[in-house]
Amino acid sequence: MARKIKRSMGVLSHLRVVEIGSSAATSYCARLFADFGADVQKVEPPAGDPLRRSAPLTPKGQSAWFAFLNFNKSSTIINRADADAITRLRAMVEDCDILIDGRDVDPADCPFIDIAAVRQRRPGLIYLEASWFGREGPYAGFAATDSTIRALAGLIKLVGSVEGPPSHAPDFQTGILAGLWGFIAAASSAVAQMQGRKGRSWSLSIFESSLAPAEYLVSETFARGDVIRRIGINRFWPNFPAGIYETKKGSIGVTTITPAQWRAFCDMLGLPELRDDPEVGS
């Protein structure tokens, strides 16, 4: 059963997108297409996408993370045990413009589909598959989690108190980063397709996507010999406030880099006297 969602016309409203498998990376990638007006159909098993059970949960027991990653989409339930499951999925895929595949991270009981055969019949299909480490390289085929990817990429090195181990936030940071890169790749293919080019196939490495934020730090180290260390308050000196801070109920991460972000931050906290103060907002 599909749940139809009304959406306003957007720059990508001419595109039909199908999302299979389960990963934060592919869910966020598909969500960005939906935000720009594309018709996104998310294929789920009868039990629902495993991400529906990701904390934090609302008072009604619904996953806030799932709601964020899948905003503006429609959901189609396909039971792998049904006799027509493969036929239904193949018909959906052959009728779409972009297929976003997260099965390598979690197949989520998705029926089998021969991607090579589909692309042979539909040479214009844009195909993006996500995996933890991509299809090539020394880690290809390895299993991982958000925590291990973040640690390998060095994303937790600067987070936490000066003493003791680094802190890890229970979120989908690596999936958000990878989903953004995947959207850029697939959207660029959609633009090229409008110029008469055939569909492209993309292999999205969640690990490599997570390395991007650390690249400039490596360059700074080579150029200036300055190795950034954990200082306990600000993760990204000299911006302020930019760090993870203790609150009455756990910790909160804050990053305000641009003037617009600072003003929005002050508005959210009800601090109009600081909003336009050049001493703290410049």
Side-chain angles (χ1 to χ4, degrees), residues 18-243:
V18 170
E19 176 195 343
I20 59 177
S22 174
S23 79
T26 48
S27 287
Y28 189 63
C29 177
R31 182 242 159 101
L32 291 175
F33 275 102
D35 286 349
F36 283 95
D39 177 9
V40 179
Q41 295 286 332
K42 182 182 182 70
V43 177
E44 298 186 69
D49 186 328
L51 291 176
R52 286 185 179 272
R53 296 178 283 280
S54 298
L57 303 179
T58 68
K60 294 184 178 181
Q62 299 173 333
S63 169
W65 263 117
F66 180 86
F68 171 77
L69 292 170
N70 296 280
F71 187 70
N72 272 340
K73 302 178 187 177
S74 297
S75 178
T76 300
I77 304 300
I78 297 183
N79 189 338
R80 186 176 182 178
D82 291 345
D84 64 343
I86 294 178
T87 301
R88 286 183 60 201
L89 180 59
R90 185 171 61 238
M92 286 183 62
V93 172
E94 291 186 358
D95 190 46
C96 76
D97 302 292
I98 302 173
L99 176 61
I100 300 175
D101 189 349
R103 293 177 299 165
D104 194 71
V105 176
D106 188 335
D109 288 330
C110 183
F112 171 78
I113 183 168
D114 189 336
I115 299 298
V118 171
R119 298 199 75 230
Q120 192 171 30
R121 291 190 294 270
R122 282 287 315 281
L125 178 69
I126 298 169
Y127 176 58
L128 182 140
E129 62 172 348
S131 59
W132 291 115
F133 297 102
R135 293 300 181 188
E136 299 178 354
Y139 292 165
F142 279 25
T145 64
D146 188 271
S147 298
T148 54
I149 292 295
R150 200 181 307 205
L152 286 169
L155 296 179
I156 64 172
K157 173 180 171 58
L158 304 178
V159 183
S161 61
V162 177
E163 303 295 334
S167 298
H168 167 64
D171 56 27
F172 293 110
Q173 184 184 59
T174 64
I176 300 299
L177 289 171
L180 176 60
W181 291 120
F183 172 74
I184 293 171
S188 67
S189 294
V191 173
Q193 192 177 59
M194 290 188 290
Q195 299 173 347
R197 300 180 184 180
K198 293 183 178 180
R200 295 194 63 178
S201 178
W202 297 93
S203 176
L204 177 64
S205 167
I206 298 174
F207 174 56
E208 290 185 15
S209 300
S210 298
L211 290 175
E215 288 178 346
Y216 82 97
L217 298 175
V218 175
S219 301
E220 287 287 302
T221 300
F222 275 103
R224 297 163 40 175
D226 184 18
V227 178
I228 297 180
R229 295 172 177 81
R230 197 184 315 155
I231 59 177
I233 300 177
N234 296 327
R235 289 191 298 164
F236 308 117
W237 179 90
N239 298 306
F240 178 84

